[in-house]
Amino acid sequence: MNKRDDQVNNEGTATEERSLPHRRVHLHSEHQQQGEQKPADMPISISIQGLNAYYGKFRAVKNITLDIKAKQVTSVIGPSGCGKSTMLRCLNRMHEETQNGRTDGKVLLDDEDIYDKRVDPVAVRRKIGMVFQKPNPFPTMSVFDNVVAGFKLNRFWVNKSELADRVELALKQASLWDEVKDKLNQSGMALSGGQQQRLCIARTLAVEPEVVLMDEPCSALDPVATLKIEDLIRQLTSKYTIVIVTHNMQQAARVSDWTTFLLMGDDRAGELIEYGETKQLFTNPKDERTEAYITGRFG
Amino acid sequence: MPRVDYDRELRSLQDDLLMLGSMVEKAITKAVDALKRRDIETSKQVINEDDAIDDLRFKLEDKCVEIIATQQPIAKDLRVVFSILHMAVELERMGDYAEGIAKISIMIGQEPPLKPLIDIPIMADKAVALLRRSLNAFLNRDVEEAKRICKDDDDVDNIYDQVYRELLLFMIQDPKTIQRATYLLWVAHDLERTADRATNIAERVVYMVTGKMAETNSKYMA
């Protein structure tokens, strides 16, 4: 076939081409497809309203208002020192455990302010669990006991006969069961770094929280272990709301549905600069500062 | 924190695209000029020079793939890289149209002219102008100019319709002219497509700057 035939066959005659309606490019968001919820209609899990966090007199997080969507992954990104982890710790009242740590503003979980005086912080932490940067299984405990510790620490009552089932379920949810089912009595410290982190996730999931907060959960892990945790995060969204702080922007782009960008203001307090669907924020951010940060031009 | 190497690589992509555009512009002008002057040698030159256009397009694609693999561009940078990839394909295809016109010139050879060539050179001038403007809009990230280019393509379409009707009339009146008229119709078609592809580049400029992908007749171009 010569080039001319090719041109005519591929493109049709010009008259035909012009008489055809122009091809439509899909501009609408995926959410607008039939049967899917629009972002605005999605149920809210945590509503942050005018949140400020302080270390003594220093304000580390400034006036953050943000709705965390239920059963979605929300990532929090921003340069070091912008208050990401502090904000995260405010969501389950861990910040107040820090020396001179205090907060004001509201954090509503299912419309109830977790900072209400009548609310028990331990009960909050049972509903809003947390996974930390470095895997921290209890060193003297077995794999099994590490998960059980999740119940005990959170005053979560479990019938003894159910205990083994609950541990198995938590380990399965954390995609760890197949790897540890034959060594439940071995020390948690004998596991690899990635397995230890999944054990910590199992410990958190054991008490059936609504929300799981993750503070750079992969920063101490190798790339393979990191991808396993990322897969796990995606799986967990069928049941849990997840908020993840990460330094790794590609990770935020891969695992989260929503992304929050924080940046330190002139007063060195972290402010919310942009919040949106991850796809939008990473392809077409609205704020120039977000653009500069995610393209690696500062931060 | 500037990203010196990365920014240099992005600039180099842009420079290559503009170079490709200028080669294509020259090829189209030269091909139509050779057709008008019945200059077979120049037509052959246009055909030979298309290889350089193809090579540069592949070089550009390679560079785009490399920058994606090594620098992981995102946001506007990613849109720039993908737009350049897309534009390079458009330009290479325009180069093929120039080559096509040169081949037709050779096929026409020294056959007696059907009619003096007036509209086809006008179409060529307008198509080349749209191409040049679309590359300027790219260089200047000028969304408004890009939208105007899409509208101005109607001029080329109108001349094409006129040439089409006129050539059809020749063919109806005297079937002996069918071959020569068809040759010219192909040339006009190539030029009409060239202008359309210039508007595709303009649409990419809109996407690159705004992040909105849209055809020229969509509400985003209003």
Side-chain angles (χ1 to χ4, degrees):
Chain A
M1 186 186 284
N2 64 31
K3 187 155 272 176
R4 175 126 323 269
D5 290 338
D6 176 44
Q7 282 176 12
V8 172
N9 286 342
N10 281 339
E11 296 170 355
T13 64
T15 350
E16 274 172 10
E17 205 168 76
R18 276 207 312 280
S19 65
L20 289 169
H22 279 287
R23 93 191 123 84
R24 307 298 302 180
V25 176
H26 296 293
L27 263 171
H28 52 258
S29 140
E30 286 167 15
H31 298 283
Q32 285 168 286
Q33 288 167 14
Q34 204 177 6
E36 282 194 46
Q37 278 178 315
K38 289 178 186 170
D41 299 337
M42 284 186 173
I44 309 296
S45 175
I46 297 180
S47 180
I48 306 168
Q49 299 176 358
L51 178 74
N52 292 286
Y54 303 84
Y55 292 94
K57 285 181 181 170
F58 171 65
R59 176 155 69 169
V61 167
K62 185 177 172 184
N63 199 22
I64 288 185
T65 295
L66 173 69
D67 285 338
I68 308 279
K69 314 269 194 246
K71 294 186 180 174
Q72 297 267 298
V73 181
T74 301
S75 60
V76 184
I77 59 167
S80 297
C82 72
K84 304 185 292 289
S85 295
T86 304
M87 185 193 99
L88 195 75
R89 285 201 298 271
C90 292
L91 303 188
N92 72 344
R93 296 191 57 172
M94 290 284 281
H95 178 61
E96 65 199 44
E97 303 293 330
T98 322
Q99 199 179 9
N100 298 325
R102 65 187 173 88
T103 59
D104 59 46
K106 284 182 177 175
V107 175
L108 308 183
L109 174 69
D110 302 328
D111 298 324
E112 190 185 1
D113 187 2
I114 64 167
Y115 284 97
D116 190 292
K117 284 197 177 82
R118 290 164 296 180
V119 171
D120 174 8
V122 176
V124 168
R125 286 171 210 146
R126 210 186 83 190
K127 281 186 168 179
I128 308 179
M130 195 160 195
V131 176
F132 299 89
Q133 185 173 352
K134 254 184 105 180
N136 54 355
F138 297 114
T140 56
M141 289 186 192
S142 67
V143 170
F144 188 91
D145 288 342
N146 258 285
V147 182
V148 173
F151 304 126
K152 289 184 180 163
L153 281 173
N154 289 284
R155 301 177 207 157
F156 188 82
W157 186 82
V158 175
N159 189 325
K160 264 194 175 171
S161 61
E162 279 180 29
L163 199 62
D165 290 344
R166 298 298 289 258
V167 169
E168 181 179 335
L169 181 68
L171 287 168
K172 278 183 174 166
Q173 284 184 341
S175 301
L176 190 60
W177 175 250
D178 288 341
E179 294 163 57
V180 299
K181 62 185 174 195
D182 299 325
K183 39 186 170 185
L184 292 173
N185 294 321
Q186 288 183 18
S187 163
M189 296 307 283
L191 303 177
S192 71
Q195 288 173 329
Q196 287 183 22
Q197 191 61 305
R198 279 180 283 145
L199 179 60
C200 296
I201 293 174
R203 191 172 66 196
T204 306
L205 299 180
V207 294
E208 297 182 340
E210 284 182 46
V211 181
V212 179
L213 308 177
M214 297 185 168
D215 192 357
E216 297 181 40
C218 303
S219 60
L221 305 182
D222 67 55
V224 175
T226 295
L227 289 176
K228 274 194 179 161
I229 300 274
E230 288 182 8
D231 277 348
L232 173 60
I233 290 171
R234 293 308 316 171
Q235 286 168 31
L236 292 176
T237 49
S238 61
K239 211 169 164 205
Y240 305 96
T241 300
I242 293 172
V243 187
I244 175 172
V245 164
T246 176
H247 268 304
N248 180 338
M249 276 180 292
Q250 297 303 324
Q251 180 171 71
R254 283 193 297 267
V255 303
S256 66
D257 305 292
W258 302 85
T259 299
T260 308
F261 173 53
L262 301 188
L263 189 61
M264 209 190 288
D266 293 337
D267 53 0
R268 296 182 55 227
E271 295 172 45
L272 192 152
I273 301 298
E274 187 164 348
Y275 166 72
E277 282 186 85
T278 297
K279 184 180 146 193
Q280 172 263 317
L281 196 131
F282 279 94
T283 56
N284 197 9
K286 292 189 173 77
D287 195 289
E288 280 178 10
R289 291 166 292 181
T290 315
E291 174 99 34
Y293 179 68
I294 64 173
T295 56
R297 291 190 169 81
F298 81 79
Chain B
M1 184 183 73
R3 294 180 68 181
V4 179
D5 283 349
Y6 177 41
D7 286 335
R8 190 187 304 124
E9 285 174 38
L10 284 174
R11 267 199 308 278
S12 150
L13 279 186
Q14 176 165 308
D15 292 346
D16 283 351
L17 188 86
L18 294 172
M19 169 61 79
L20 185 61
S22 120
M23 287 160 76
V24 169
E25 186 183 320
K26 197 173 142 197
I28 295 166
T29 309
K30 213 165 156 181
V32 174
D33 191 49
L35 172 74
K36 202 171 151 189
R37 291 189 292 106
R38 296 170 161 259
D39 178 350
I40 304 287
E41 279 316 303
T42 305
S43 296
K44 284 181 183 166
Q45 248 181 43
V46 172
I47 294 167
N48 290 334
E49 284 165 4
D50 189 54
D51 288 348
I53 291 175
D54 294 347
D55 288 348
L56 184 53
R57 173 257 170 117
F58 288 128
K59 186 180 146 202
L60 246 171
E61 274 198 48
D62 259 355
K63 276 189 175 178
C64 288
V65 169
E66 191 185 328
I67 211 169
I68 291 167
T70 57
Q71 300 282 8
Q72 290 97 39
I74 43 176
K76 196 173 277 179
D77 294 344
L78 184 61
R79 298 204 302 275
V80 168
V81 173
F82 270 95
S83 298
I84 286 177
L85 255 178
H86 193 101
M87 291 174 186
V89 175
E90 299 289 356
L91 289 171
E92 189 268 337
R93 205 59 212 264
M94 290 186 201
D96 287 344
Y97 294 142
E99 187 189 8
I101 293 169
K103 283 180 177 165
I104 294 164
S105 297
I106 294 170
M107 286 193 278
I108 292 174
Q110 297 305 327
E111 279 187 41
L114 190 63
K115 65 184 235 17
L117 283 186
I118 296 165
D119 288 335
I120 283 179
I122 292 174
M123 268 184 92
D125 287 346
K126 285 187 182 286
V128 165
L130 287 179
L131 167 60
R132 193 178 306 144
R133 283 171 59 196
S134 69
L135 292 170
N136 276 330
F138 162 74
L139 184 63
N140 301 321
R141 311 293 193 256
D142 188 343
V143 174
E144 291 312 310
E145 171 66 351
K147 290 177 183 174
R148 279 194 293 273
I149 290 164
C150 295
K151 287 203 175 78
D152 292 350
D153 174 49
D154 290 349
D155 282 355
V156 181
D157 290 345
N158 291 337
I159 305 176
Y160 176 71
D161 286 343
Q162 194 181 310
V163 170
Y164 176 75
R165 280 194 301 270
E166 198 180 356
L167 291 172
L168 213 59
L169 211 61
F170 271 108
M171 293 191 245
I172 292 166
Q173 283 169 351
D174 179 4
K176 281 192 216 118
T177 63
I178 287 177
Q179 180 144 338
R180 280 176 292 158
T182 306
Y183 287 152
L184 292 182
L185 196 56
W186 283 347
V187 172
H189 177 62
D190 281 343
L191 292 171
E192 190 270 339
R193 297 298 300 133
T194 301
D196 274 357
R197 287 179 186 272
T199 67
N200 288 352
I201 292 177
E203 283 169 0
R204 286 289 136 178
V205 172
V206 176
Y207 167 69
M208 196 174 78
V209 178
T210 65
K212 286 175 179 152
M213 250 188 240
E215 276 275 4
T216 49
N217 64 345
S218 90
K219 60 184 174 175
Y220 294 98
M221 300 297 289

